[in-house]
Amino acid sequence: MDRPVSGMLRLSIATAIWSLLACGSAWTEPAETSTSPPWLDSTVSPDIRADLVLARMTSDEELVLLKGYYGANVQMPWIKKAPPAIQPLLPGSAGFVPGIARLGIPALRETDAGVGIANTNWMRAGDTATAFPSGLSNAATWNPELVFQVGSAIGAEARDRAFNVVLDGALNLAREPRGGRTFEYAGEDPLLAGTIVGAQVRGIQSQHVLSTLKHFALNDQEIGRGVLSANIDDAGARESDLLAFEIAIEQGNPGAIMCAYNRVNSGYACENEFLLNRVLKHDWGFAGWVLSDWGAVHSSAAAANSGLDQESASGFDVQEYFGAPLHQAIADRTVSVERVHDMAHRILRSMFASGVMDYPATPRKPSAHVEIAERDSEEGIVLLKNAGGVLPLTKSVGSIAIIGAQADLGMLSGGGSSQVLPLGHNPDNELFVGGEVRVLASGARIMPLDREIFDPPSPLAAISRAVPHARVRFVDGADVAAAARLAARSDVAIVFAQQWMSEGNDVPSLALPGRQDALIDAVAAANPRTIVVLETGGPVLMPWLDKVSSVLEAWYAGNGGAQALTRILFGEVDPSGRLPISFPASEAQLPRPVLSDRSEAYHFFDVAYTEGSNVGYRWFAAQSLTPLFPFGFGLSYTTFDFRRFQVTGGENVSATIDVSNIGSREGSETVQLYAQLPAFGVARLIGWSKVRLSPGETRTVALAADPRLLARFDTDAGIWRIAHGDYAISVRTSATDIKASAVVPLSERTIKP
Ligand code: BGC
């Protein structure tokens, strides 16, 4: 059962036994295929096409669809089984599920692609792809149309390499800002995260490449991700992490969902009846399939019956669960034949629905999308401070000191399975934090996991190009005194500071690592015109904030990052990013000030999400804490004014407000609508609109609420319930900066999930 079976084996003994056991169920032997199979008719619905092809499939063939392999065509030491042969020219990558050639069903070739095609970068050193900004940077754009284009570019680059499944968008709420995948995700708010990631998924699938949402659910920290139980009450989960998925599914219609490594309220996410059968498939009516994270399966019958449809990269699991053991479970009748049909049906209907069958991807010279990456970064970079109008810089500046964070190499990227080998990459742009490169007998290179990759071009090069007449000098910052001396001799100092994050490893604290705080202090003391550029996965602490003139959060900015940053520094574009995550003033402000102890993380342990749906800014508000920078915050080079706020209530909230650009430059504002529910003290984001205005321009901005944000989830009835009462509705430019407010009554109402 480990390999695709030939037609010769169709009448296997096992199949015959199942047919008998199934007693009249639809577990049938196939009839011969006709010359033009009806399931290839694209005018027929995906569900009917799936049924048509299923009727022709043998039981063994169905099982083939349910079990994946690690897709790389090299043997990794920790992989127990070799994958089936992969066609030459087709790159191996994260996952592979064999097709069924006799029925025209293609193999599924899966690649990670959260921030660009992460194509087997460990072994195929030559295959570079566009590195896009991090997921958190995408969310900082608050611009789903732009993120749709990013998704569509990623989909196109996947097709170029003949991948037909992209293991992205990534969507776990930032309950733990130190979480090693904070950079991959879309922040702390369910509406923003769900909308942004949904747009990315829609973009990917616009290229007839199937997209998965992950990691379902509550994979909100990396330490102990395979053993911890994320414990949370049902309503709290429905109003936060689960709502983010619900919105992303509605917006993006992904073909598949990846269940997570962790446990949720004790049960493993990949055999969690509540998450998979109840919430995802029943309540939300998800018609696609559930595939497991790599090594996240722990059972055969329990997983299949709880809603897992496909075991990914089976060699990663402690043992194989969906090959022979599933076969046995069907024979034992612990898994029904109907359930197996359902599993296969879900996979096939998504393949039809996404166009994977009708628009097969063939390898071709990979395309590049640096312009889209650059626009995405331009809108994601957040201006956090700008005292004395030091920014934007004028191009007549005489000298610039560029200091720190390998600003001569490129822009930092995040580590783990989403790591892209960026366009223009060369090995000199890598730093190994620990470990050595190992070369296997096959010639493949095994990289240590702690590998920092800098995406070219470097900010040093981009800034130097922008001001060819200025003296632009770089020091790496290792010698703090030398850096301060260079800063003192320059008109302006730009200090780059970095925090490297990687999947599998939460950052130990929110402090900038190493001596970077001391470096910034010393440079700021030497030159009052000090600009700090942060290249971080998420929020960091800034003990030097009062001493520097300006701070830009550039996140992990990708191949377009240096150019985007340069355009913002010199005012060619207005900084329009707004924080998708709160920046705490200290770790003591977090719901869990102390991170789980890595050394304890080899046994089951619990993480209690007692804050429920009060994630991020809602937590700060509920606890009356003042963050360093609030969710939604970001400065512009111009100034906006807000007038004539009008709100209507009744069934739902809608509002209008006049926004004027009263400054002298073009700029964009993100007008955020919040609601405070009766008897629920904390305001929630219920809608937003990003507007670009010329100097002097006024626009009436219309804002509509997602009604689920006005509701509480009634777990007994399984519905959203808007309570009758008065709702405080406000327009804000961050979670804490209120520009206009009004109280409107809403009538009682329920909404089905
Ligand atoms: C990650 C997934 C990824 C998979 C395949 C896992 O370790 O959690 O996000 O898609 O590997 O690379």
Side-chain angles (χ1 to χ4, degrees):
M1 299 303 301
D2 291 345
R3 299 277 187 277
V5 285
S6 71
M8 297 284 289
L9 292 177
R10 265 184 271 152
L11 288 170
S12 70
I13 296 170
T15 305
I17 292 171
W18 292 354
S19 299
L20 285 175
L21 289 174
C23 293
S25 77
W27 194 255
T28 53
E29 281 306 300
E32 286 308 309
T33 55
S34 67
T35 44
S36 68
W39 57 88
L40 295 185
D41 177 355
S42 60
T43 62
V44 176
S45 84
D47 279 306
I48 291 177
R49 294 174 78 183
D51 284 341
L52 287 170
V53 71
L54 258 179
R56 299 299 183 112
M57 282 171 70
T58 68
S59 50
D60 285 353
E61 283 169 338
E62 279 188 55
L63 288 187
V64 164
L65 294 181
L66 310 185
K67 193 183 77 171
Y69 298 82
Y70 185 56
N73 42 4
V74 290
Q75 187 63 36
M76 289 303 187
W78 60 88
I79 308 298
K80 291 177 242 12
K81 286 201 180 62
I86 294 175
Q87 290 177 33
L89 293 183
L90 290 176
S93 190
F96 178 82
V97 183
I100 298 165
R102 81 170 181 95
L103 299 174
I105 299 170
L108 295 176
R109 295 192 165 79
E110 304 167 330
T111 181
D112 283 302
V115 294
I117 305 300
N119 175 18
T120 54
N121 50 69
W122 335 28
M123 36 271 179
R124 292 177 59 87
D127 188 10
T128 59
T130 310
F132 291 90
S134 64
L136 200 59
S137 179
N138 279 342
T141 67
W142 296 63
N143 185 343
E145 288 77 29
L146 178 58
V147 176
F148 170 87
Q149 289 175 39
V150 171
S152 152
I154 289 176
E157 292 193 24
R159 279 190 75 79
D160 293 342
R161 295 165 173 83
F163 290 119
N164 52 14
V165 178
V166 159
L167 304 168
D168 181 57
L171 181 65
N172 289 91
L173 286 197
R175 286 176 184 273
E176 175 46 77
R178 292 161 295 196
R181 304 187 89 166
T182 300
F183 75 96
E184 286 186 56
Y185 299 148
E188 65 192 26
D189 179 77
L191 181 61
L192 179 64
T195 307
I196 291 292
V197 175
Q200 178 149 338
V201 166
R202 199 156 28 87
I204 291 167
Q205 294 201 154
S206 71
Q207 300 300 309
H208 306 302
V209 172
L210 201 149
S211 176
T212 62
L213 269 188
K214 64 188 187 184
H215 311 86
F216 194 63
L218 290 139
N219 184 176
D220 297 342
Q221 75 171 51
E222 288 299 280
I223 291 180
R225 67 180 179 178
V227 285
L228 72 80
S229 176
N231 295 341
I232 186 167
D233 69 288
D234 287 358
R238 295 270 199 170
E239 293 172 24
S240 58
D241 291 60
L242 296 185
L243 179 56
F245 274 95
E246 190 177 358
I247 293 170
I249 290 170
E250 287 163 7
Q251 306 268 328
N253 194 19
I257 304 278
M258 184 190 293
C259 53
Y261 284 122
N262 52 287
R263 297 178 296 133
V264 175
N265 293 332
S266 296
Y268 281 113
C270 288
E271 55 180 60
N272 197 304
E273 167 75 21
F274 173 75
L275 283 181
L276 305 183
N277 279 344
R278 169 75 196 275
V279 175
L280 178 66
K281 292 183 177 175
H282 176 267
D283 293 355
W284 300 346
F286 179 65
W289 89 93
V290 177
L291 56 88
S292 61
D293 202 340
W294 275 224
V297 186
H298 299 272
S299 61
S300 303
N305 291 333
S306 303
L308 178 68
D309 300 303
Q310 187 182 63
E311 179 184 19
S312 306
S314 50
F316 274 59
D317 290 316
V318 174
Q319 62 161 81
E320 174 183 293
Y321 289 106
F322 272 21
L326 183 58
H327 184 288
Q328 186 59 47
I330 298 161
D332 295 346
R333 307 180 102 183
T334 48
V335 174
S336 71
V337 166
E338 287 71 22
R339 172 67 187 124
V340 177
H341 287 332
D342 175 49
M343 293 156 88
H345 175 98
R346 285 171 173 278
I347 296 167
L348 291 165
R349 60 79 44 207
S350 280
M351 290 174 75
F352 288 118
S354 60
V356 158
M357 303 283 279
D358 301 330
Y359 303 87
T362 45
R364 61 181 171 214
K365 187 168 179 292
S367 51
H369 298 87
V370 179
E371 266 174 39
I372 294 175
E374 189 179 317
R375 257 191 295 139
D376 191 30
S377 179
E378 275 174 13
E379 290 209 28
I381 292 174
V382 185
L383 177 61
L384 293 174
K385 179 177 180 189
N386 195 19
V390 166
L391 287 175
L393 298 172
T394 102
K395 288 214 170 169
S396 57
V397 62
S399 54
I400 303 178
I402 302 214
I403 298 165
Q406 283 78 33
D408 58 333
L409 293 185
M411 302 294 281
L412 182 62
S413 60
S417 58
S418 68
Q419 178 79 66
V420 174
L421 206 59
L423 296 174
H425 174 76
N426 79 59
D428 295 340
N429 291 11
E430 293 174 12
L431 294 181
F432 295 101
V433 183
E436 296 290 317
V437 179
R438 278 201 299 133
V439 181
L440 299 183
S442 65
R445 302 197 313 154
I446 304 244
M447 306 298 187
L449 288 177
D450 288 354
R451 173 195 190 198
E452 293 183 5
I453 293 184
F454 293 85
D455 297 336
S458 74
L460 175 62
I463 292 169
S464 303
R465 257 199 313 274
V467 281
H469 305 298
R471 249 185 120 194
V472 181
R473 288 165 293 188
F474 171 74
V475 289
D476 65 10
D479 181 342
V480 171
R485 280 197 301 277
L486 177 65
R489 283 187 280 125
S490 306
D491 293 341
V492 58
I494 307 178
V495 191
F496 287 78
Q498 60 168 345
Q499 171 215 46
W500 184 68
M501 268 188 178
S502 176
E503 175 187 343
N505 198 2
D506 300 333
V507 292
S509 89
L510 292 180
L512 284 170
R515 300 173 64 208
Q516 298 184 93
D517 285 337
L519 175 68
I520 297 169
D521 260 335
V523 172
N527 189 332
R529 288 162 59 84
T530 291
I531 299 157
V532 177
V533 176
L534 295 167
E535 295 176 68
T536 66
V540 286
L541 305 176
M542 303 179 209
W544 33 259
L545 185 60
D546 290 343
K547 300 175 191 158
V548 303
S549 60
S550 314
V551 182
L552 282 161
E553 173 57 84
W555 316 107
Y556 299 150
N559 270 139
Q563 189 57 21
L565 175 70
T566 304
R567 279 164 56 77
I568 286 176
L569 285 170
F570 291 99
E572 284 166 34
V573 278
D574 185 54
S576 67
R578 301 292 182 259
L579 293 180
I581 189 167
S582 309
F583 275 46
S586 74
E587 284 170 34
Q589 290 185 330
L590 297 174
R592 283 158 295 282
V594 180
L595 255 178
S596 314
D597 183 347
R598 175 161 284 280
S599 64
E600 298 289 313
Y602 297 98
H603 311 285
F604 276 6
F605 68 100
D606 293 335
V607 180
Y609 290 134
T610 47
E611 73 275 23
S613 68
N614 280 344
V615 183
Y617 65 92
R618 302 185 192 173
W619 165 261
F620 282 85
Q623 304 295 312
S624 307
L625 294 167
T626 306
L628 187 62
F629 292 108
F631 171 85
F633 177 79
L635 300 170
S636 157
Y637 290 150
T638 186
T639 312
F640 300 96
D641 186 49
F642 300 82
R643 305 242 158 150
R644 293 205 317 127
F645 182 42
Q646 291 180 333
V647 197
T648 52
E651 283 266 294
N652 194 4
V653 170
S654 56
T656 56
I657 190 161
D658 288 356
V659 186
S660 308
N661 179 349
I662 55 170
S664 54
R665 316 173 58 97
E666 186 189 71
S668 298
E669 182 57 295
T670 296
V671 187
Q672 302 161 34
L673 192 66
Y674 289 79
Q676 207 157 335
L677 283 53
F680 188 72
V682 174
R684 299 161 159 191
L685 180 75
I686 60 172
W688 78 88
S689 177
K690 184 169 185 172
V691 276
R692 180 178 302 220
L693 298 174
S694 306
E697 186 182 353
T698 296
R699 191 143 355 129
T700 302
V701 175
L703 298 149
D706 183 319
R708 287 167 295 195
L709 273 309
L710 298 162
R712 304 301 316 272
F713 195 82
D714 177 340
T715 43
D716 293 334
I719 47 173
W720 297 98
R721 205 177 274 289
I722 296 184
H724 168 78
D726 288 337
Y727 289 67
I729 309 298
S730 48
V731 159
R732 307 184 183 198
T733 49
S734 78
T736 57
D737 192 355
I738 300 178
K739 297 296 180 194
S741 63
V743 172
V744 287
L746 286 183
S747 37
E748 188 168 332
R749 182 183 159 200
T750 58
I751 307 160
K752 285 206 174 122

